[in-house]
Every structure is written in C-alpha cells, then in structure tokens.
Amino acid sequence: MTFLSALLAALAVSLAIEAAEGGSLRPVSLRPGDLAIRLLSYALLTLFWFVFSWRPWLAAASCVLTVAGLALVSRLKRGVIGEPLVFSDFALLPQVPRHPDLYYTRPVTDPRIGLPLMAALALIGLWFWLEPTVLPRGTLPALGSIVALPLLLAGLAFAAERAPLAALAARRCPDPDLEVDIARYGQPATILAYLLRWRATRRAPAAPALPAPPRAGQNDVLVVIQLESFIDPTRLGGPALPLMETVRACANQYGRLRVPAHGAYTMRTEHAVLTGLDVRSLGFSRFDPYLSGGGCEPTSLARLAAAAGFTSAFVHPFHRDFFQRAAVMRAFGFERLVMEEDFADAPRIGPYVDDRAFGRRVLAEVEAARGPLFLFGVTMENHGPWKPGRLPGLDDPLAQYLHHVVHTGEMVENLVRGLAERNATLCVFGDHAPALPNCRPGFGETATDYAIFRFGRMEAPPRGRVDLSADALGRLLRSSWAASGASVAVPRS
C-alpha cells in the first residue's frame, strides 16, 4: 500500500509538471492511449529508482525530480537551439566533464557545482536512512526481490525491441516529430520511444545515385572548409565583412545554406555535406548521424576522392575524442588526420586556435601534397560559449563573435589568394548560426552562408547566388569537384 501511494503521487506530480511545462507550447494530450503511455513512463522511472533503494517515497521523489530535470533541460535547450532534449543527447554526456566549457557548465571541482552536488548526495543519504525499506523480511526473500526486480526491468527492455511492443512503438512514432510526440506522450516516454525506434531502424543509409568521379590532374586540389558558427555578420547587425564582398565578386557560386540545426549539432551539417544525404532520409538517426554508421558511408567525399586518385586529409584543431571525430573521419575514408596535437604551437584567440593559423596549416598541407589532394577542414575559433572572460575587454557575446568572425574572413581570403594559381576548388560554409542572444532559434530558417571558388581551367561561367541545403551542397561537390571551374579575378591585398 505504501508503494502504491508513492507511485500515485509520483504519477500525479509528474503529470502536473509536464502539463505546466507544455502549456505555452502544446497542451498535454489527455486521450486515453496517449495518457496511458505517459503514465507508464513515469511508473517505469519510479521502478527504476526503486531498484536502487527499495524505498517507495525516495523512488517517487526521484521520479519527480527526473521529470522536472528533463523538463528544465529541454526548456533551456529549446531556448538556445530550438529543439527539446532527445535520446541522442545522452550519448554526449561523457563529453561534458571532459569539455565543460563547450556545454555552458563548469567542472565538478568548481564549488558552484561541487557543493550543491555534495549537498544533494547528503540529502539522498539522509532520506535513505530515515525512510524504512519495504524489502521482504528474511534473507532469501530479500535477495530474491533484489534480483527479481532488475531482471523484470531488463526483460521489459528486451521485449520492447521485439513484437508486439516494437510494433506499438512503430505505430505510435512512425517518424520523428519531437514537439508533437512530447505533447502526446511526455518527455520520458518520447525519449524511450525514439531510442527504441532508432535501435530498430538504424542502418547504413542508402547511397545516392552519383556520377563516376573524374580522374584528377596532377595539380588538382579540392579544399572544403566548415566554418564554425559562421554567417554574414551584417545579418546580426554587425559591420560588413570584407570577405563577403570578395565572395560576391569572385565566387563561382554562393548563397544561403539551409542547415539541419541551429546553434549546435555540427555533426548534422558535417554529415550532410560529406555524404550528400538529406537529413530526412536518416529517420531517427537524424539527431546524431554519427551514432549509427559513424562515417561508414560508401559515397563519402573522402572515398570518392580515393576513387578519383586523390589523397585526403582532415584538419581540425581540437580534441580527437570530441564527437569521436578521429574515429569517424577514419571511417569516412580520410587518410591523414591533422588535429589538436599538430596545432600545439599555434596561437589561440580566446580558448581556441586562431582561424588564421588554421588557414596557414591548410595551405601548408596543400603545398606539401604530392599529387591531387582533397582536404576537409573544420575551424574552431568561433565556437561558443560566448561568456565574460573569453576575450580581454570584450564581455558582450555579440562583440566577441564579431571579433572572431573577422579572423575567419581573413583566413578565407588568404585561402583564396593561396589557391588562386592552382587548378583548385575552394568551398567554405557555415555549420550553423551562432547561439547568440540576438540569434535565437528560427533565425533565417537556420540558414548560414556558403561560397565556392574555382581556379584554373575554365569550364563553367559564374552562377552567382544560388541558395542550397547542406546535403545539396554535398551532392554538388560530388558531381563537379574534380573539375576546375571558371577562373576568377583574385584580390591581391
């Protein structure tokens, strides 16, 4: 009876929390089937915590705190990125203590984190001591119960991936629709359902139909640079960037780039460009494409480069383990990785390597290449968070961003000049808009900016502005990347 009372209290309070949280977005669905799934998820959460304590009210309180925590994190995330919490976010948790600054948090050694954490643990310990356990009396019944309940939950998890429960999940969540599903089933149920659907549907994505890659000439170079958080600063009310005039005057093609994320999730845009796959074709893998196949796509740009006689290099001045970049890029087919350890002596602006130093390393890689080269680079200087102390004398987030983006512009202009005498293609694009106070979700329909410069053999006239999606840019690079386009007049100053 005690457990039932605690469970009912947990269900009622959790429902109230989600109803209050969803009121400004979508009203909570009260249809019997939807409500049953929502309440079942709360009950499973309560049972999960009950396994660790066998104290009903502690388990009920833990369920309520979990639901409240998920709602709070979702609200914060939605305000910055425009998307609620998803199952794939939990795969990123191990990176938080390694790179706390990237996640707008502090290390556990910081008193502002460590002291509340210790207080919470002390409160749990006190509660554990004060509330009596409901384990059966006697050693064997108690041991049997301690073993049986986890086995029951494990068996339920096993059954959830098989008929008929898997079929129920497929009917209820045939395709990702986060906001609708959260309103129907609640955050915990949606996270669990999407995880099950992802596990049931993950597979190597179908390869798009592509033309056979042309063979490379001895001096052919393709350089593709993903610019961290890059958009034209005039769209944020900042001063004009000289690079944008160079783009309009000299680029073979440029425009807005529709990307599948705002303010974060670099891997989504990166994957779209490197594979040419529309994010909608990825199903439940769209939230983090690297979770499913890593870089094991047969038509990645790096693999096409190898087929065309190019060597390939990936350049990124940050940790190898972040997003599992080293392993993923190897899987994509990149032969050479140039990462943080190769930038040990490079100057930094704020916490990250100067974009101009990154650009110099890219040109050095081009100069050192023997034969055709495909180089894919990812910059880091513009990465958030934008908070006080990042740059001396500049605490305003927008001012910090505008300071960094000038260096990005100088880097790209240096690349244009450095590649102008080669048979080369240079493509630059922003991975997502910056997560700034004046650049909130929905800004410009998540569009960044891109440009393609072609040097050397004249094969196509300039096309001017052509707006694209990130996957369309990837397909464009596949269809024409080894062929040099029209020569352009390159500024020398």
Side-chain angles (χ1 to χ4, degrees):
M1 184 59 69
T2 302
F3 178 82
L4 181 59
S5 299
L7 177 60
L8 291 175
L11 299 185
V13 176
S14 297
L15 178 60
I17 289 172
E18 290 212 296
E21 179 64 23
S24 60
L25 298 169
R26 291 176 183 265
V28 166
S29 171
L30 297 179
R31 288 187 293 183
D34 298 347
L35 190 58
I37 292 174
R38 183 188 294 267
L39 295 178
L40 177 61
S41 71
Y42 301 156
L44 289 174
L45 269 176
T46 304
L47 282 175
F48 172 79
W49 291 117
F50 187 65
V51 164
F52 297 99
S53 68
W54 284 84
R55 286 158 172 79
W57 290 104
L58 179 57
S62 298
C63 170
V64 169
L65 287 174
T66 301
V67 172
L70 292 175
L72 175 61
V73 173
S74 266
R75 180 196 298 177
L76 294 173
K77 184 185 169 196
R78 191 183 275 109
V80 176
I81 299 174
E83 179 181 287
L85 198 64
V86 293
F87 75 93
S88 59
D89 291 327
F90 292 89
L92 301 176
L93 283 178
Q95 298 190 79
V96 176
R98 297 181 205 164
H99 312 289
D101 285 342
L102 291 178
Y103 291 93
Y104 293 83
T105 187
R106 297 181 174 90
V108 293
T109 53
D110 189 306
R112 289 167 289 187
I113 297 295
L115 291 179
L117 182 60
M118 291 175 63
L121 291 175
L123 179 61
I124 292 171
L126 179 62
W127 194 327
F128 195 91
W129 178 65
L130 290 174
E131 184 181 357
T133 180
V134 294
L135 271 172
R137 295 183 180 277
T139 302
L140 288 179
L143 287 176
S145 299
I146 289 173
V147 172
L149 184 55
L151 288 178
L152 175 64
L153 291 177
L156 182 59
F158 180 82
E161 297 190 42
R162 290 154 181 82
L165 292 181
L168 174 63
R171 286 197 304 271
R172 289 284 180 169
C173 301
D175 295 296
D177 196 344
L178 269 173
E179 298 292 359
V180 169
D181 289 335
I182 289 173
R184 291 185 66 185
Y185 311 122
Q187 187 84 62
T190 301
I191 288 173
L192 291 172
Y194 276 35
L195 174 62
L196 292 173
R197 294 290 290 131
W198 170 73
R199 289 178 63 87
T201 59
R202 58 180 173 168
R203 61 187 181 277
L210 300 171
R215 302 301 295 180
Q218 284 302 304
N219 296 315
D220 281 346
V221 173
L222 171 65
V223 175
V224 180
I225 305 296
Q226 181 171 274
L227 305 174
E228 173 63 42
S229 301
F230 179 81
I231 62 173
D232 181 350
T234 60
R235 295 170 62 193
L236 300 175
L241 196 65
L243 168 65
M244 302 313 295
E245 183 58 37
T246 300
V247 165
R248 288 185 286 269
C250 304
N252 175 262
Q253 181 174 321
Y254 65 92
R256 297 285 168 82
L257 188 71
R258 295 187 304 278
V259 296
H262 176 93
Y265 293 120
T266 295
M267 82 288 276
R268 297 180 186 175
T269 305
E270 187 172 282
H271 183 273
V273 172
L274 284 171
T275 65
L277 295 171
D278 185 340
V279 67
R280 291 170 295 184
S281 71
L282 303 179
F284 289 87
S285 296
R286 70 183 62 181
F287 302 109
D288 187 343
Y290 292 166
L291 273 183
S292 296
C296 298
E297 279 79 7
T299 57
S300 73
L301 278 175
R303 295 192 184 282
L304 290 179
F310 283 64
T311 59
S312 59
F314 173 72
V315 181
H316 179 48
F318 200 59
H319 298 287
R320 287 174 168 266
D321 68 338
F322 193 64
F323 286 161
Q324 297 183 324
R325 271 262 176 60
V328 167
M329 292 304 157
R330 288 288 188 198
F332 268 129
F334 285 96
E335 300 166 19
R336 174 171 163 73
L337 304 183
V338 182
M339 303 196 75
E340 186 178 48
E341 61 274 16
D342 299 294
F343 288 86
D345 299 325
R348 292 175 177 259
I349 305 294
Y352 309 117
V353 170
D354 186 338
D355 275 358
R356 295 165 296 186
F358 166 89
R360 290 192 292 270
R361 183 57 187 253
V362 168
L363 289 176
E365 292 290 323
V366 171
E367 289 294 330
R370 296 183 178 180
L373 172 69
F374 164 51
L375 185 149
F376 186 84
V378 178
T379 69
M380 199 65 194
E381 182 184 338
N382 279 352
H383 204 294
W386 317 100
K387 57 185 182 180
R390 177 183 176 119
L391 294 173
L394 283 180
D395 285 345
D396 177 69
L398 178 59
Q400 292 178 350
Y401 177 79
L402 295 175
H403 180 84
H404 290 299
V405 83
V406 168
H407 302 156
T408 304
E410 292 174 1
M411 179 268 291
V412 175
E413 291 193 277
N414 289 338
L415 288 178
V416 169
R417 286 190 286 269
L419 296 173
E421 303 303 323
R422 296 177 175 271
N423 292 322
T425 297
L426 169 65
C427 172
V428 296
F429 65 93
D431 59 348
H432 52 70
L436 291 167
N438 63 331
C439 187
R440 285 308 188 195
F443 174 87
E445 298 181 346
T446 70
T448 61
D449 292 273
Y450 83 96
I452 299 175
F453 300 85
R454 300 192 188 277
F455 313 105
R457 295 188 298 272
M458 298 178 64
E459 295 188 4
R463 299 185 63 197
R465 176 170 174 172
V466 181
D467 294 345
L468 292 175
S469 62
D471 55 286
L473 177 61
R475 292 191 295 273
L476 176 63
L477 292 172
R478 280 161 176 67
S479 65
S480 62
W481 66 301
S484 298
S487 297
V488 295
V490 180
R492 295 296 178 182
S493 60

